[in-house]
Amino acid sequence: MHGWIILDKPLGLGSAQAVAAVKRNLREAGFGKVKVGHGGTLDPLATGVLPIALGEATKLCGRMLDASKTYDFTICFGAETSGLDAEGEVVATSDHRPSLAQVEAALAQFIGPIAQIPPAYSAIKVDGKRAYDLARAGEVVEMKSRNVTVHDLYVHADVTIGALASVTLTADVSKGTYIRSLARDIAHAVGTVGHVSMLRRTRAGPFNLESAISLDKLNAFGQGADQEDIILPIEAGLVDIPALILSPEQARAVQQGRVLTGIAMKDGLHWARGADLRPIALVQNVDGILKTVRGFNLTP
């Protein structure tokens, strides 16, 4: 069993719980023990696209973690919380409510490479411990600024004229970007405070909501429903990079980890496949020298 299950993670379910649900349903469907991993954590208060890798696809989890992602999120103005979300304790308040024009004018400064301070309630390690464990223990956690990139940021939908109690935005961001921090900083930029009251991931790398299934559909699969549209092939996670078809001799060389030369192709990352179109490996071409990055052990 190799491939992807793209879960539309519901509210309140943690990423580890989602992985456990996939393992349970695979067992119930008769697939036995399958290696399972996820391609990017989603907080329990967030919903949306959670790529879950099966078997050899778990070798792509690191690449999925590095992929850009798209979120819809709502900033509720007037209260900043300790976790920068709806669950945290209120730590600051403001009576000021910005206008739509003020929000839109402020967004430009957050597009492109930016520095942001992650939330204290995050999985980042500080002195070898998770920041959220330190924060929950009542310790003051000094989070270091980190560089991230916001590729695009805009108002998600039309809103009413006048002072805004909240606004919903869409952000396309690089790995490592915290939407809760982005929301906090946008609120500060328009002269108030705020927190995230809704967060939904609509894309993770090549996967979007169109390929995602509900938890109910996953559970139905475990109870014997057809697996069509449930398990996607490994190559579904590779559609954003070029494919390279190798001859049988070249395929054997790549599988053995040998370096290839003399293949006319662009520099960069590719996924190699044989004549049967089966994925063989992730390969990197640099100045005509092709090296294996990660091999796949897939039997015909």
Side-chain angles (χ1 to χ4, degrees), residues 6 26 82 127:
I6 313 304
L26 287 171
S82 56
D127 296 328

Side-chain angles (χ1 to χ4, degrees), residues 45-284:
L45 292 182
T47 66
V49 176
L50 179 63
I52 298 178
L54 314 176
E56 288 293 286
T58 57
K59 293 178 177 178
L60 297 172
C61 282
R63 181 173 178 271
M64 200 59 58
L65 291 171
D66 289 344
S68 63
K69 299 171 179 68
T70 303
Y71 297 88
D72 293 339
F73 64 103
T74 298
I75 307 174
C76 183
F77 295 117
E80 184 173 314
T81 65
S82 56
L84 303 179
D85 57 25
E87 256 189 4
E89 175 187 349
V90 175
V91 296
T93 60
S94 171
D95 293 330
H96 176 64
R97 301 294 182 271
S99 67
L100 175 59
Q102 288 173 323
V103 171
E104 289 181 324
L107 296 185
Q109 65 186 280
F110 296 99
I111 298 176
I114 63 170
Q116 70 168 198
I117 298 175
Y121 286 84
S122 65
I124 295 172
K125 286 191 175 182
V126 178
D127 296 328
K129 297 181 179 180
R130 298 290 185 186
Y132 54 65
D133 288 332
L134 297 172
R136 287 167 183 160
E139 296 188 32
V140 176
V141 184
E142 293 293 333
M143 303 300 294
K144 294 181 180 180
S145 177
R146 62 198 301 175
N147 296 322
V148 298
T149 300
V150 178
H151 304 294
D152 202 3
L153 178 64
Y154 54 91
V155 175
H156 178 72
D158 291 338
V159 292
T160 56
I161 303 301
L164 301 178
S166 65
V167 66
T168 299
L169 307 174
T170 295
D172 183 56
V173 300
S174 71
K175 70 169 183 176
T177 305
Y178 278 89
I179 298 298
R180 288 176 290 154
S181 293
L182 184 62
R184 172 201 61 204
D185 296 343
I186 292 171
H188 289 178
V190 294
T192 187
V193 294
H195 65 272
V196 171
S197 59
M198 184 281 293
L199 178 61
R200 182 160 176 75
R201 187 155 70 192
T202 60
R203 183 187 63 82
F207 299 117
N208 55 35
L209 286 170
E210 291 181 4
S211 54
I213 62 168
S214 66
L215 186 60
D216 286 344
K217 191 169 184 179
L218 174 65
N219 291 333
F221 164 66
Q223 298 303 313
D226 191 82
Q227 75 176 63
E228 184 180 1
D229 300 327
I230 299 289
I231 301 173
L232 304 179
I234 284 183
E235 50 266 39
L238 298 169
V239 296
D240 55 338
I241 60 174
L244 174 67
I245 299 178
L246 300 178
S247 69
E249 183 179 346
Q250 290 169 333
R252 282 192 297 272
V254 166
Q255 288 172 319
Q256 294 167 2
R258 288 188 278 139
V259 172
L260 293 180
T261 59
I263 299 178
M265 58 185 294
K266 292 182 179 180
D267 281 0
L269 194 65
H270 297 66
W271 64 280
R273 56 186 183 179
D276 61 358
L277 304 185
R278 182 168 45 93
I280 296 172
L282 277 180
V283 294
Q284 183 84 29

Side-chain angles (χ1 to χ4, degrees), residues 21-40:
V22 167
K23 289 181 177 179
R24 184 187 71 249
N25 280 282
L26 287 171
R27 287 195 304 270
E28 292 174 350
F31 288 102
K33 189 174 182 180
V34 179
K35 188 175 183 180
V36 180
H38 65 75

